[in-house]
Amino acid sequence: MTPATAQTARPAAPAAIIDGTAFATSLRQRVAFEVARIKNQQGLTPGLAVVLVGDDPASAVYVRNKGTQTRAAGMASFEHRLPSNADAETLLALVRQLNDDPSVHGILVQLPLPGHIDSDLVINAIDPAKDVDGFHILNVGLLGTGQKAMVPCTPLGCIMLLKDQLGSLAGLNAVVVGRSNIVGKPMAQLLLRESCTVTIAHSRSRDLPAICRNADILIAAVGRPEMIGADWIKPGAVVIDVGINRAERDGRSRLVGDVDFAAVSQVAGAITPVPGGVGPMTIACLLANTLTACCRIHGLPDPAIAV
Ligand code: NAP
């Protein structure tokens, strides 16, 4: 762990690489340990239900990974598939059934949904106590007012990596580039909760490089391959790259982030790679949220793995 300092000099060495794969592995182990403990002590098995509508291949891969990792953590995994032409009422009926099922503690409806289904309607039909994605309007409001909420998995993973890297985040300037409901906005709320001074930037922001140069912590959640270059970075800053973009590099298709990793890692103090940074944290945090939901539903204290 390095102390939380807003450095002003160019670092002598390239940035430390924040290893999200290793952190996610250790988080999943801590979740599995706590799952085993509540099984033994309370006779409870946390259960996660994932609903997939349609046959989008990328979504199918995510859902399969979630199932595998859920079972590996000792939890019950329930997978529900509906055809792409399923109507909203069929999906809502399934959500209500899962809300009422005592063996299900977490419900995740894989997004995006087919265009004819209103995602907000479906998300807000999930029991907020089982809303392990943290997208239900009640959880959004609880997070925004500093109360105990289910927190969206990707921003939760980012904050865990930042606290592991920096310890206290209090007083640091944090810039979040991107204002989506699933990443940018909840990320900003979590940084505010940690007493950062938070700026949210977006496509209409003026002089984005200057805004970013003020950041002790820079979160990139844009979806534009390698948009953020070295001259946008305050020397020594901690850079968290949420972006996952497929781009042609050296004649091959590769996954790249929103940050130009090779250049920025010469200026930043620490940086997450893509892949292997934020990505692996998202499913690990989903497992953590399912365990937390199970504990809260049964009136148990939050598991020690929560931040
Ligand atoms: P999104 O809903 O498309 O939002 C993108 C945000 O970036 C918007 O707020 C947009 O501004 C802003 N933006 C777009 N172009 C910009 C520009 N040129 N300058 C400044 N801001 C710009 O995307 P998202 O769902 O938040 O995801 C963002 C990235 O994270 C994507 O690459 C996605 O694949 C990745 N992601 C990764 C994980 C993970 O597990 N690691 C999870 C979720 C998402 P406006 O609001 O003004 O349009």
Side-chain angles (χ1 to χ4, degrees):
M1 193 184 286
T2 43
T5 50
Q7 297 173 27
T8 51
R10 194 181 179 89
I17 308 301
I18 299 173
D19 187 345
T21 304
F23 194 100
T25 301
S26 104
L27 177 58
R28 289 200 310 271
Q29 285 166 350
R30 280 178 278 149
V31 168
F33 181 84
E34 287 297 316
V35 167
R37 199 176 60 77
I38 68 165
K39 262 188 194 173
N40 289 336
Q41 294 180 358
Q42 312 287 338
L44 287 170
T45 301
L48 172 65
V50 177
V51 179
L52 176 62
V53 183
D55 42 23
D56 175 59
S59 294
V61 171
Y62 287 138
V63 167
R64 203 163 50 240
N65 283 345
K66 282 168 186 163
T68 306
Q69 294 197 26
T70 303
R71 286 185 292 277
M75 302 197 222
S77 169
F78 310 98
E79 202 177 302
H80 297 268
R81 286 173 184 257
L82 294 176
S84 56
N85 62 357
D87 60 17
E89 191 40 53
T90 306
L91 178 54
L92 289 168
L94 174 58
V95 167
R96 285 192 288 270
Q97 178 198 317
L98 297 172
N99 284 344
D100 293 340
D101 184 340
S103 62
V104 172
H105 304 95
I107 302 170
L108 182 148
V109 177
Q110 183 69 43
L111 301 176
L113 288 170
H116 65 280
I117 299 180
D118 177 349
S119 301
D120 287 339
L121 191 70
V122 174
I123 289 164
N124 291 323
I126 296 171
D127 178 346
K130 298 186 176 185
D131 169 38
V132 283
D133 252 345
F135 296 160
H136 189 288
I137 196 69
L138 182 74
N139 282 312
V140 175
L142 290 171
L143 179 63
T145 50
Q147 299 179 69
K148 203 183 238 192
M150 294 308 300
V151 176
C153 301
T154 300
L156 180 60
C158 294
I159 213 84
M160 285 185 186
L161 293 176
L162 281 168
K163 287 172 80 170
D164 185 59
Q165 185 67 28
L166 291 169
S168 168
L169 311 184
L172 296 178
N173 286 339
V175 173
V176 182
V177 190
R179 58 175 164 178
S180 72
N181 290 338
I182 64 167
V183 188
K185 283 182 195 144
M187 188 71 243
Q189 294 290 357
L190 287 172
L191 290 161
L192 199 54
R193 197 172 78 173
E194 297 300 325
S195 298
C196 291
T197 303
V198 182
T199 303
I200 307 175
H202 46 78
S203 67
R204 306 293 296 275
S205 296
R206 290 188 191 159
D207 201 353
L208 192 54
I211 294 171
C212 292
R213 274 193 292 274
N214 192 37
D216 303 310
I217 294 169
L218 180 65
I219 312 282
V222 182
R224 300 259 183 273
E226 297 175 326
M227 181 183 89
I228 294 177
D231 57 342
W232 295 33
I233 306 297
K234 179 180 190 171
V238 177
V239 177
I240 304 289
D241 191 354
V242 182
I244 303 177
N245 311 290
R246 201 154 267 291
E248 209 46 44
R249 294 286 178 269
D250 305 323
R252 292 175 61 186
S253 167
R254 292 184 190 278
L255 281 187
V256 299
D258 294 337
V259 173
D260 180 347
F261 180 85
V264 168
S265 58
Q266 300 304 311
V267 183
I271 185 169
T272 55
V274 177
V278 175
M281 291 298 292
T282 298
I283 294 186
C285 286
L286 175 67
L287 304 182
N289 275 353
T290 304
L291 173 61
T292 300
C294 177
C295 290
R296 289 181 186 173
I297 287 167
H298 289 280
L300 301 171
D302 276 5
I305 43 95
V307 289

